[in-house]
Amino acid sequence: MEYDFRKIEKEWQAQWKKNGAYRVKNDFSKPKCYVLDMFPYPSGAGLHVGHPLGYIASDIYSRYKRLKGFNVLHPMGYDAFGLPAEQYAIEHGVHPAKSTVQNIDTFRKQLDNIGFCYDWDREVRTCEPGYYKWTQWIFLQLFNSFFNRATRKAEPIAELAAEFEKNGNAGHACPGDASISFTAEQWKAYTEKEKQDILMNYRLAFCGYGEVNWCEALGTVLANDEVVNGVSERGGHPVVKKKLRQWYLRITEYADRLLEGLETIEFSEAMKEMQTNWIGKSYGAEIDFVIVSRESSGVSEELTTHHSPLTVYTTRPDTIFGVDFMVIAPEHELIESITTPVQKPAVEEYITYVKSRSDRERQAEKKISGCFTGAYAVNPFNGKQIPIWISEYVLAGYGTGAIMGVPCGDERDHKFARHFNIPITNIIGQHYNGVDANPTKDAQLENSEFLNGVVMRDAIGIVNAKLEEMGIGKKKVNYKMRDAAFSRQRYWGEPFPIQWKNGVAVPLNETELPLLLPEVDSYSPGPEGEGPLANIPAWVAKELETNTMPGYAGSSWYFLRYMDPHNTETFCDRTLSDYWNQVDLYIGGTEHAVGHLLYSRLWTKVLFDLGHIGFDEPFRKLLNQGMIQGSSRFVYRVLWQGIFKPDFDLSKLPTIFVSAGLLKGNKINIEDVGIENTVKTQLNQILHKYALDGFRNIEDITVAALHVDVNFVNGIRLDINAFKNWRTEYQNSEFIYEGGPVGNPLKLEPGKKMDNPWVFDCGIEVEKMSKSKFNTVNPDDLVEKFGADTFRMYEMFLGPVDQSKPWDTKGIEGVHRFLKKLWRLFFDEVKGKVWTEEKATTEELKVLHRTIRKIGEDTERFSFNTAVSAFMICVNELSDLKCHKREILEPLVIMVTSYAPHISEALWKALGNENSVLDAVFPEYEEKYTVESSKEYPVSINGKVRTNINIALDATAEQVQEITLANELVQKWMEGKALKKFIFVKGKMINVVI
RNA sequence: GCCCUGGUGGUGGAACUGGUAGACACGCAGGACUUAAAAUCCUGUUCGCCGCAACGCGAGUGCGGGUUCAAUUCCCGCCUGGGGCACCA
């Protein structure tokens, strides 16, 4: 009986489906385990081999936990709103809902192929009204709440309004605009609109103005990755910054809670670091500088003082005497009033330049640019006049949009000063070498008047105290994180449950939800950069918000909906969220480090604060899956330009490709005489075939690399026929081969057979897996060829799940062989059943229990690749022992279940079990079977292993030393020298130092 | 530019807390079975050197230094691949 994986997998998938084997009950009597994958965006390209990496890992873990007796929630769904579907709609006129459903169907088929244990009854789709009703509902919770800084949590905005009635806002500084301050009486006197405008500055979901990438030619707002070098990716039209009304989430109020929460969850240190850096909490000071302009009247200089000071934010007030210039952001509001007439044209020109630049470009730019405003800031301590510059590297959104330039202490400031010949003041003496800035805090200050001799670290406090005393500065905690933009000028997203009445945002009643996304005739943008909804007269007539929510809205809370997916009364019943609680294991890519993961943490905290759920961190443990990259293959086409005599008719030429091994860069490798001759010979043959003449010189040949579909390539060897049939224009192409029979002038590579045939090889490059690069591999093909079990184990065998690696199918056969070998422990091709009921030997039990321990440990620590090899070792050893005993094989099958469920169920049932192996009990490891009495110790002399000595494990250190030193080989290596030190690590090694 | 992360044989990778570098698998080479092929099995396989052989010598985990009896693992400096940087998801 052979291992017929196609039959087995089909049969058991059908059975499991029929029995509802993966249906999850809310069984409160069992311990729960919640294992979640980051749900996919269902793109039109379908699933490629990169997607399932994390899904397989979570599937294995889920099944393992089930065998360990847990009630496991393991759902899947779709992040179904998004830009690509809308783009597709614009281009093809297909409604996004329609293409999305089609894409979901494709995904589902592909997922089912691999045999996942998802409970599909719990599937969610963010684009369905039954789902986004609750996304809108949570938005209203955010809209109707503020962050109470005293209690450090979200509270109803109505309570805040009541508080204003009593005490004004004395106890609640305004997060949106710190200058807002009023008494109870003033509050009562405000009009309703004034009150609402003030409350808007407190709400957790609020409306404000923000800059977007505006493309006039396309009449739309562009995503950052649609903008390349200041122009639109499509069409190359200019893109500028434009201020639009936008919704935001006041995530900045939660900065500290988000930081503190990191200590309670198991994310990788790298991930925590990324989030910490993103939040970017810093302690510093805001300092006001008086601004003056010098007006030259020819004879004397007159100083004009501006009424507004320049407020800078700095983390290093101690360097105040080292400030040689100020830099303000090109968007800074003071620019207009402080720029001198002389500098005006230059400043305006510079600002125009900056407007075309993205934040990213501005920060990444190595070339220093900037422009002097003509104004000066006055150092409050010594009256020194400091020139005020504008430069793109200062962003308006961070701090006050103005910094003090301290060239001796900051590298970027240093480069700036050098570039514009601004004299550099050295305040750290020998710590500054005149070439590079030194950001130390440990130097003693010089040239710093009252701070001279003080260590910088200590000077920070002294300066702060002095500034506060003078009333021109204060300590300030700052965050790099900005409030999260929460609206898009798009169609395919959740509509906001908001109406605009006389400029006031009025939330819809909960009973009016869901506010359905209406049908539109056209998906193109509305007037003035508004979203497509602005094109619908009925929508506009109802004064409904025309923005829609961004992609991360639906994904910020979906993990809750899986617990109670069909509830129409509430987003998730509290008893269910109390039971299922946090996600115990969340698997997904690092690319979500600061987006999705931060937003869902925020939403969870708000829902917790408002009493809707009982925990304030969504994901107890996060496992990052590495990205599977594509390994692209290239063929090299000969470019003929300039190679033939001028009168030559190029149209007669066939398309010619050159094998990769014959090339050096984009030319023929003529340094190798053998290669040169091979190419010449073949080229002449081809030209002869086409009766062509007039070729000049082989050295002039250059080639162009073209992506070739990786499915036509075995390793690097091209399947010429498949390639020719790929596209009609390649049908009659010619190939210049390498390799060739003995005696040909080409040098043979080591490892190649002597009777090598001519071959054609491709070039390789690792790139992102993408349809356009022809490097995608569809899991369906592999499942068809090798089966789902093989595919699952192979993806795991590829390497650590959290590491990125290029996809390569070679090696999958090894895993397939392993499953066949496992099968042969049970069945012989001719004899049929071969398992027996004999008693297992100690040796066999040792093999089994070593495996139990290893599989348990490795699965718990997500080291799936080593678990697979442990299975291989086990099966190899059992084969060597010719062990076919049920006592050994049955526990083994249970262990294999989480990795390769289909074959396991088939073998389990073959052994005569009635129930499903999915519900078996994971075997218990017993140490008594694996204990060893002695160990083959490696013995090093001065750190180099020279021999091995078998010593009992219970030998004392003295005994070991005695045995070791008595050893003949050890004696030889010691050459009579005296023993300096004897190192013995029990169970590990011995090192003799002489 | 800034933040995070990786780099080990021909290839994917293993070595979990500083303790025998290369498990397991692919590939390759040789062999067995077979009329033949497939399938399967066996042997070898980091590189270099010596050799009849060795559990013989030397080098070796991106590069250069350091700490240690001992470094893939810890520290410093560099090179280089990947991810993110706020409207892709």
Side-chain angles (χ1 to χ4, degrees):
Chain A
M1 205 172 145
E2 239 186 305
Y3 170 43
D4 185 351
F5 59 86
R6 288 197 189 87
K7 181 167 161 273
I8 291 170
E9 292 180 358
K10 225 169 152 181
E11 185 184 329
W12 288 108
Q13 280 180 12
Q15 275 289 328
W16 291 327
K17 197 172 174 186
K18 203 176 114 206
N19 312 337
Y22 299 136
R23 200 162 299 143
V24 180
K25 294 203 196 88
N26 300 318
D27 178 356
F28 298 168
S29 67
K30 274 190 180 172
K32 68 94 193 188
C33 183
Y34 187 0
V35 182
L36 184 64
D37 295 297
M38 287 185 190
F39 64 169
Y41 174 79
S43 76
L47 212 61
H48 61 63
V49 290
H51 291 102
L53 185 73
Y55 304 161
I56 295 170
S58 65
D59 195 72
I60 289 171
Y61 192 75
S62 302
R63 290 172 182 275
Y64 169 78
K65 283 302 212 184
R66 181 167 172 175
L67 295 174
K68 282 280 194 180
F70 288 84
N71 189 20
V72 181
L73 178 57
H74 186 221
M76 180 48 97
Y78 304 96
D79 186 13
F81 276 130
L83 203 49
E86 181 156 342
Q87 205 54 51
Y88 189 81
I90 292 171
E91 282 158 21
H92 301 95
V94 180
H95 194 284
K98 201 177 158 195
S99 59
T100 300
V101 167
Q102 277 170 0
N103 293 346
I104 286 177
D105 287 345
T106 311
F107 265 66
R108 176 63 190 276
K109 277 198 199 97
Q110 291 180 295
L111 289 170
D112 281 348
N113 240 339
I114 304 170
F116 292 121
C117 64
Y118 296 124
D119 178 358
W120 285 106
D121 290 346
R122 291 176 183 256
E123 179 195 312
V124 301
R125 298 179 184 188
T126 56
C127 66
E128 284 188 348
Y131 182 88
Y132 71 68
K133 170 181 178 176
W134 300 108
T135 308
Q136 292 172 334
W137 180 84
I138 297 172
F139 171 80
L140 290 182
Q141 303 300 306
L142 289 156
F143 179 80
N144 287 320
S145 310
F146 77 108
F147 187 80
N148 185 335
R149 289 182 181 176
T151 57
R152 302 187 74 223
K153 66 192 195 76
E155 289 172 13
I157 196 98
E159 288 174 17
L160 184 67
E163 166 70 12
F164 289 166
E165 291 274 341
K166 274 188 253 161
N167 300 314
N169 77 337
H172 296 281
C174 181
D177 182 351
S179 68
I180 292 178
S181 148
F182 51 85
T183 62
E185 282 61 42
Q186 285 172 310
W187 173 258
K188 286 174 200 158
Y190 287 145
T191 64
E192 183 56 27
K193 168 136 180 30
E194 282 168 332
K195 283 182 181 173
Q196 287 301 330
D197 285 347
I198 286 170
L199 287 177
M200 193 59 104
N201 278 299
Y202 285 86
R203 295 180 188 277
L204 285 178
F206 67 97
C207 211
Y209 285 84
E211 287 192 329
V212 295
N213 299 314
W214 173 250
C215 179
E216 186 66 46
L218 296 171
T220 186
V221 175
L222 296 178
N224 278 335
D225 65 341
E226 293 178 299
V227 183
V228 180
N229 300 324
V231 297
S232 65
E233 194 184 25
R234 285 171 294 126
H237 307 294
V239 174
V240 293
K241 293 281 166 54
K242 181 171 177 159
K243 266 206 166 169
L244 281 184
R245 188 176 58 74
Q246 300 281 5
W247 286 91
Y248 292 90
L249 300 185
R250 210 178 293 281
I251 192 170
T252 46
E253 288 291 286
Y254 274 89
D256 280 326
R257 292 263 304 273
L258 289 166
L259 282 174
E260 289 158 17
L262 288 176
E263 287 160 26
T264 69
I265 50 183
E266 291 175 51
F267 286 21
S268 67
E269 285 310 310
M271 185 63 57
K272 290 183 181 178
E273 215 167 317
M274 273 190 267
Q275 292 211 346
T276 304
N277 290 339
W278 179 268
I279 294 168
K281 184 175 188 173
S282 65
Y283 300 88
E286 274 184 11
I287 308 174
D288 294 338
F289 290 84
V290 170
I291 304 174
V292 296
S293 299
R294 296 178 189 167
E295 309 232 346
S296 178
S297 61
V299 193
S300 64
E301 267 194 346
E302 247 180 78
L303 289 182
T304 340
T305 303
H306 286 262
H307 23 272
S308 311
L310 175 67
T311 307
V312 304
Y313 174 75
T314 178
T315 55
R316 296 297 301 274
D318 54 308
T319 61
I320 186 124
F321 290 98
V323 179
D324 292 314
F325 57 95
M326 299 288 182
V327 188
I328 62 179
E331 296 87 353
H332 202 282
E333 54 182 9
L334 283 176
I335 290 177
E336 214 183 305
S337 60
I338 66 170
T339 303
T340 56
V342 182
Q343 288 303 104
K344 198 139 205 142
V347 166
E348 278 170 3
E349 191 186 329
Y350 186 68
I351 289 174
T352 312
Y353 155 77
V354 174
K355 273 220 159 120
S356 71
R357 311 258 298 159
S358 71
D359 281 8
R360 181 99 50 90
E361 286 170 327
R362 284 170 57 174
Q363 287 183 288
E365 185 59 70
K366 280 190 197 170
K367 217 176 70 215
I368 292 153
S369 71
C371 187
F372 179 44
T373 60
Y376 295 83
V378 180
N379 187 319
F381 296 122
N382 63 3
K384 183 178 158 189
Q385 290 179 22
I386 305 161
I388 302 174
W389 288 70
I390 304 170
S391 179
E392 63 174 339
Y393 76 88
V394 175
L395 302 179
Y398 183 56
T400 58
I403 62 157
M404 32 187 245
V406 183
C408 72
D410 180 276
E411 197 49 48
R412 192 124 63 148
D413 295 347
H414 192 256
K415 292 207 172 96
F416 192 87
R418 280 295 184 82
H419 187 261
F420 289 111
N421 287 319
I422 300 168
I424 294 169
T425 308
N426 180 14
I427 52 167
I428 49 175
Q430 58 186 14
H431 293 275
Y432 172 59
N433 61 12
V435 183
D436 297 301
N438 184 348
T440 181
K441 281 187 187 171
D442 297 317
Q444 282 190 1
L445 285 159
E446 297 180 18
N447 287 327
S448 295
E449 309 207 352
F450 65 92
L451 294 172
N452 281 340
V454 180
V455 173
M456 300 176 97
R457 209 174 278 287
D458 306 327
I460 295 175
I462 299 173
V463 175
N464 283 343
K466 200 122 186 168
L467 289 167
E468 277 183 35
E469 190 188 304
M470 295 163 76
I472 52 167
K474 55 175 188 287
K475 277 200 273 184
K476 179 82 198 268
V477 172
N478 222 334
Y479 300 93
K480 201 154 71 194
M481 181 169 65
R482 309 198 286 267
D483 283 327
F486 194 68
S487 52
R488 303 289 182 260
Q489 291 68 49
R490 304 279 178 193
Y491 172 71
W492 192 230
E494 300 88 345
F496 283 87
I498 292 287
Q499 274 177 299
W500 286 94
K501 294 193 172 157
N502 304 317
V504 174
V506 180
L508 296 189
N509 203 297
E510 279 183 25
T511 54
E512 295 174 86
L513 301 183
L515 172 61
L516 293 174
L517 185 62
E519 294 285 325
V520 286
D521 297 327
S522 140
Y523 304 96
S524 17
E528 283 306 301
E530 284 184 84
L533 295 182
N535 291 328
I536 307 174
W539 190 267
V540 177
K542 281 190 230 158
E543 300 178 288
L544 287 162
E545 169 65 61
T546 57
N547 283 321
T548 52
M549 297 188 202
Y552 66 82
S555 62
S556 292
W557 72 281
Y558 75 113
F559 66 97
L560 291 167
R561 189 63 179 170
Y562 285 130
M563 300 172 183
D564 194 8
H566 310 296
N567 200 327
T568 53
E569 300 303 312
T570 174
F571 71 106
C572 176
D573 190 275
R574 181 65 194 264
T575 53
L576 292 176
S577 64
D578 279 349
Y579 172 64
W580 289 112
N581 214 272
Q582 289 170 299
V583 174
D584 294 284
L585 177 66
Y586 193 36
I587 299 188
T590 44
E591 65 270 25
H592 299 287
V594 287
H596 162 62
L597 285 169
L598 220 43
Y599 299 133
S600 45
R601 291 183 61 216
L602 170 72
W603 284 44
T604 304
K605 286 183 189 304
V606 174
L607 288 171
F608 170 76
D609 288 351
L610 298 176
H612 298 302
I613 54 175
F615 48 92
D616 85 332
E617 282 290 345
F619 314 118
R620 200 178 56 74
K621 181 172 177 74
L622 175 75
L623 176 64
N624 287 118
Q625 108 202 28
M627 179 177 280
I628 298 228
Q629 295 139 324
S631 182
S632 303
R633 295 293 183 277
F634 295 89
V635 289
Y636 301 93
R637 196 188 67 207
V638 175
L639 299 171
W640 294 120
Q641 280 70 18
I643 293 172
F644 285 85
K645 288 169 187 154
D647 56 340
F648 192 82
D649 181 4
L650 290 169
S651 66
K652 285 185 192 164
L653 279 169
T655 307
I656 303 185
F657 295 100
V658 184
S659 186
L662 304 171
L663 299 169
K664 193 171 184 196
N666 64 344
K667 297 218 165 202
I668 304 292
N669 181 9
I670 49 161
E671 281 164 33
D672 188 315
V673 182
I675 287 179
E676 191 181 0
N677 289 338
T678 306
V679 175
K680 257 187 196 159
T681 314
Q682 294 184 65
L683 197 55
N684 282 329
Q685 278 170 6
I686 294 168
L687 295 178
H688 184 75
K689 186 169 146 192
Y690 286 79
L692 293 170
D693 199 11
F695 177 68
R696 258 198 238 165
N697 205 338
I698 190 170
E699 285 155 40
D700 297 332
I701 295 180
T702 55
V703 294
L706 303 174
H707 276 99
V708 54
D709 194 317
V710 291
N711 296 297
F712 305 154
V713 186
N714 182 5
I716 54 168
R717 201 132 300 158
L718 182 69
D719 179 338
I720 302 261
N721 284 328
F723 177 71
K724 280 184 170 179
N725 290 329
W726 186 29
R727 291 189 172 158
T728 44
E729 68 253 45
Y730 299 148
Q731 204 87 64
N732 297 314
S733 46
E734 297 286 342
F735 298 85
I736 295 180
Y737 298 89
E738 60 182 293
V742 188
N744 91 79
L746 181 61
K747 220 171 58 186
L748 288 171
E749 277 179 42
K752 280 192 180 172
K753 281 186 184 172
M754 291 307 281
D755 56 344
N756 222 15
W758 292 99
V759 294
F760 191 90
D761 287 347
C762 298
I764 300 184
E765 214 172 286
V766 173
E767 301 176 295
K768 213 166 179 162
M769 198 171 269
S770 142
K771 239 183 169 178
S772 63
K773 297 185 168 77
F774 298 107
N775 61 4
T776 57
V777 181
N778 188 330
D780 297 355
D781 301 341
L782 294 164
V783 169
E784 169 57 28
K785 204 163 164 197
F786 298 101
D789 284 337
T790 299
F791 178 71
R792 291 165 58 100
M793 288 195 108
Y794 181 61
E795 284 237 356
M796 293 298 99
F797 190 58
L798 226 42
V801 71
D802 58 348
Q803 243 166 59
S804 292
K805 56 224 143 200
W807 176 263
D808 202 333
T809 308
K810 82 175 184 204
I812 194 168
E813 281 170 58
V815 176
H816 191 60
R817 258 172 231 158
F818 154 75
L819 288 175
K820 285 203 266 191
K821 209 164 169 180
L822 171 71
W823 185 264
R824 282 201 304 274
L825 289 176
F826 293 76
F827 292 104
D828 185 281
E829 256 177 76
V830 276
K831 286 185 272 180
K833 292 182 188 180
V834 289
W835 71 85
T836 69
E837 303 292 336
E838 279 170 65
K839 197 96 189 89
T841 65
T842 8
E843 190 57 28
E844 290 163 349
L845 283 165
K846 187 188 266 183
V847 171
L848 175 69
H849 281 267
R850 269 211 302 254
T851 308
I852 296 174
R853 182 178 56 190
K854 182 83 176 143
I855 297 302
E857 280 174 4
D858 285 0
T859 308
E860 297 272 3
R861 69 186 173 102
F862 316 110
S863 179
F864 304 110
N865 56 326
T866 52
V868 173
S869 62
F871 280 129
M872 289 174 169
I873 291 167
C874 176
V875 167
N876 286 347
E877 286 176 348
L878 293 180
S879 300
D880 289 345
L881 292 168
K882 301 206 172 17
C883 171
H884 301 286
K885 297 168 185 165
R886 171 195 289 272
E887 189 185 346
I888 301 296
L889 297 184
E890 206 161 61
L892 175 61
V893 163
I894 298 173
M895 287 193 282
V896 176
T897 300
S898 47
Y899 290 77
H902 309 87
I903 191 175
S904 303
E905 184 79 298
L907 293 173
W908 177 256
K909 285 288 179 353
L911 285 172
N913 291 291
E914 290 291 320
N915 66 338
S916 168
V917 74
L918 304 178
D919 293 312
V921 176
F922 196 86
E924 202 66 39
Y925 166 65
E926 286 185 65
E927 200 176 358
K928 65 179 179 194
Y929 295 115
T930 59
V931 282
E932 304 271 354
S933 60
S934 67
K935 154 126 192 129
E936 188 85 358
Y937 278 98
V939 179
S940 304
I941 315 293
N942 281 346
K944 277 194 194 306
V945 181
R946 297 301 182 185
T947 186
N948 290 298
I949 307 176
N950 196 299
I951 302 174
L953 272 167
D954 55 9
T956 64
E958 289 75 30
Q959 289 169 324
V960 171
Q961 180 163 347
E962 207 176 301
I963 296 166
T964 307
L965 295 182
N967 182 280
E968 207 179 306
L969 262 167
V970 174
Q971 282 296 326
K972 194 193 112 194
W973 279 101
M974 288 180 71
E975 295 168 323
K977 285 184 202 145
L979 176 73
K980 256 195 210 149
K981 202 168 176 184
F982 187 83
I983 289 153
F984 169 60
V985 183
K986 195 172 170 160
K988 294 276 185 196
M989 47 68 71
I990 293 163
N991 190 11
V992 179
V993 186
I994 52 174

